[in-house]
Amino acid sequence: MYAVIKTGGKQEKVEEGSILNVELLGANEGDTVTFTPILLVDGAKVVHDQESLLKAKVTAVVVGESKGPKIVGFHYSPKARARKRWGHRQHYNVLRVVEVAGS
């Protein structure tokens, strides 16, 4: 059984035992987080109606935090002699999916 959840503006396909990186949720390590799926698939049965999905839930445990890849940017204005170099590294929560409960 797998489910598709929405977190941080992105959709993720999850199964029991899967580990995924999501944007920071404000949860500490060891906390339990629940999601309501937007699509649930159990073998040949696909659940997508709103009433059944409100009964289903995906439970995950926060394992830790990680950082994404370093992104380096550079702005240059040729006649103004303006140069701006910047970098960014996104922080993520690492989750381990414990349970995918159907309706």
Side-chain angles (χ1 to χ4, degrees), residues 13 20 24 41 56 64 80 84 91 96 98 102:
K13 177 183 171 184
L20 63 143
L24 287 179
V41 178
K84 176 74 175 177
H91 294 265
R96 187 181 80 243
V98 177

Side-chain angles (χ1 to χ4, degrees), residues 80-94:
R81 293 186 181 187
R83 294 169 185 86
K84 176 74 175 177
R85 185 170 180 259
W86 53 271
H88 176 72
R89 195 162 181 192
Q90 183 72 35
H91 294 265
Y92 295 106
N93 273 357
V94 180

Side-chain angles (χ1 to χ4, degrees), residues 28-80:
N28 295 325
E29 188 173 340
D31 290 349
T32 303
V33 182
T34 58
F35 299 100
T36 54
I38 57 173
L39 180 71
L40 185 70
V41 178
D42 179 20
K45 182 180 175 188
V46 177
V47 177
H48 59 84
D49 58 346
Q50 195 65 24
E51 295 175 9
S52 299
L53 289 176
L54 289 175
K55 299 173 189 172
K57 68 177 182 175
V58 175
T59 307
V61 175
V62 178
V63 177
E65 291 187 8
S66 67
K67 292 182 181 180
K70 177 82 173 203
I71 298 172
V72 178
F74 186 75
H75 292 289
Y76 176 70
S77 299
K79 295 186 171 89

